[in-house]
């Protein structure tokens, strides 16, 4: 009898632990999905710049994609977020790589916390951030320093630049709630959004911000579309 009881208790403990371990990822379980389609009616804006420094890694021409417009007028690199929603299943750690003297990816979303900066170029970079809520970061990353971890604790759109390569430009959207970046077709799927009335925010580095209210239903996809203006 005692053996059976013991086995039952062990099972119960294991079950309890499994539930407990399952908790962190379940912040918005039972939530819905927001599928945002972001369009831009204007022309793409791509600047090109002659490069005469570190050309073996950077190439001889830098392409600065300020406004990237794909098929069906879809606007890429826009951040779609739900600022009022608590909880997010975005990855705990986000990495931006300095590769080919570009920030890759160009736009990322992260939870407040650690940002990992990689240097896969084997040359000196100097990360320099522009922000108001978070302290500015201005740090050299020599070629031997492959990874650097910096803190971005406050919700904000943080601009990344490099003091060695003037054309390098990236953005980090620090968002406590669910968020995603639009793909080449201007579509972003924001998952695990708490149900009920939510305000969706779209932000683009040169085209600014727009918001729309939606009603999120459990297990369903709510579609919302935006048209960004100059
Ligand atoms: Cu650089």
């Amino acid at each position: 009898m005692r053996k059976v009881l013991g086995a039952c208790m062990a099972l119960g403990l294991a079950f309890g632990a499994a539930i407990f371990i399952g908790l962190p990822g379940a912040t918005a379980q039972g939530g819905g999905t927001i599928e945002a389609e972001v369009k831009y009616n204007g022309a793409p804006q791509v600047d090109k710049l002659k490069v005469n420094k570190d050309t073996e890694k950077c190439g001889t021409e830098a392409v600065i994609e300020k406004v990237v417009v794909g098929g069906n007028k879809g606007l890429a690199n826009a951040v779609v977020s739900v600022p009022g929603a608590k909880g997010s299943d975005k990855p705990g750690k986000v990495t931006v790589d300095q590769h080919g003297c570009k920030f890759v990816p160009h736009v990322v979303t992260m939870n407040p916390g650690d940002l990992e900066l990689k240097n896969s170029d084997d040359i000196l970079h100097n990360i320099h951030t522009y922000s108001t809520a978070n302290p500015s970061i201005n740090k050299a990353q020599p070629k031997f320093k492959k990874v650097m971890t910096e803190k971005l604790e406050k919700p904000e759109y943080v601009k990344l630049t490099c003091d060695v390569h003037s054309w390098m430009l990236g953005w980090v959207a620090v968002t406590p709630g669910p968020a995603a970046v639009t793909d080449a077709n201007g579509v972003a799927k924001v998952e695990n959004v708490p149900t009920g009335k939510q305000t969706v925010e779209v932000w683009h580095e040169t085209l600014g911000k727009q918001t729309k209210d939606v009603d999120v239903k459990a297990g369903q996809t709510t579609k919302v579309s935006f048209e960004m203006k100059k």
Side-chain angles (χ1 to χ4, degrees):
M1 187 61 193
R2 209 169 255 175
K3 249 186 193 164
V4 174
L5 251 177
C8 279
M9 273 178 74
L11 253 175
L13 275 173
F15 190 56
I19 289 175
F20 183 74
I21 289 161
L23 267 176
T27 40
Q29 222 168 47
T33 299
I34 294 173
E35 190 181 304
E37 195 176 25
V38 185
K39 290 184 187 289
Y40 178 58
N41 233 332
Q45 196 192 339
V46 178
D47 293 350
K48 288 183 178 171
L49 200 95
K50 274 261 162 295
V51 169
N52 51 19
K53 191 182 210 175
D54 296 326
T55 48
E56 71 288 355
K57 295 287 176 183
C58 305
T60 54
E61 188 180 71
V63 178
I64 307 155
E65 298 181 304
K66 288 186 174 161
V67 181
V68 179
V69 185
N72 211 12
K73 294 178 180 156
L75 178 68
N77 294 330
V79 176
V80 179
S81 66
V82 188
K86 296 276 175 286
S88 161
D89 64 348
K90 296 200 295 298
K93 193 164 67 180
V94 162
T95 303
V96 174
D97 191 10
Q98 295 157 101
H99 183 62
C101 306
K102 282 180 92 166
F103 290 108
V104 183
H106 179 57
V107 181
V108 288
T109 62
M110 65 177 271
N111 294 316
D114 287 347
L115 171 67
E116 192 175 81
L117 294 155
K118 254 177 84 181
N119 178 2
S120 54
D121 271 343
D122 264 339
I123 54 171
L124 169 76
H125 288 293
N126 188 109
I127 187 90
H128 195 162
T129 66
Y130 290 84
S131 54
T132 51
N134 293 279
S136 170
I137 302 159
N138 186 355
K139 260 188 198 172
Q141 190 167 7
K143 64 178 182 181
F144 57 83
K145 201 162 189 182
K146 296 290 170 214
V147 179
M148 237 165 48
T149 303
E150 297 295 328
K151 287 218 176 302
L152 293 172
E153 310 262 31
K154 299 269 166 32
E156 186 175 14
Y157 297 101
V158 178
K159 184 181 182 180
L160 303 179
T161 70
C162 171
D163 286 347
V164 181
H165 309 101
S166 60
W167 62 88
M168 285 177 69
L169 177 64
W171 292 91
V172 179
V174 186
T175 60
V181 180
T182 55
D183 62 17
N185 296 314
V187 176
K189 262 192 184 174
V190 184
E191 283 167 329
N192 294 318
V193 181
T195 55
K197 295 250 181 291
Q198 298 287 0
T199 299
V200 184
E201 180 175 297
V202 171
W203 172 92
H204 183 270
E205 62 190 278
T206 62
L207 302 172
K209 248 187 224 178
Q210 273 187 29
T211 59
K212 265 189 185 175
D213 291 339
V214 296
D215 197 6
V216 179
K217 295 194 174 75
Q220 291 185 25
T221 297
T222 306
K223 292 197 176 189
V224 58
S225 53
F226 291 85
E227 192 179 318
M228 301 301 274
K229 308 248 189 279
K230 260 185 217 172

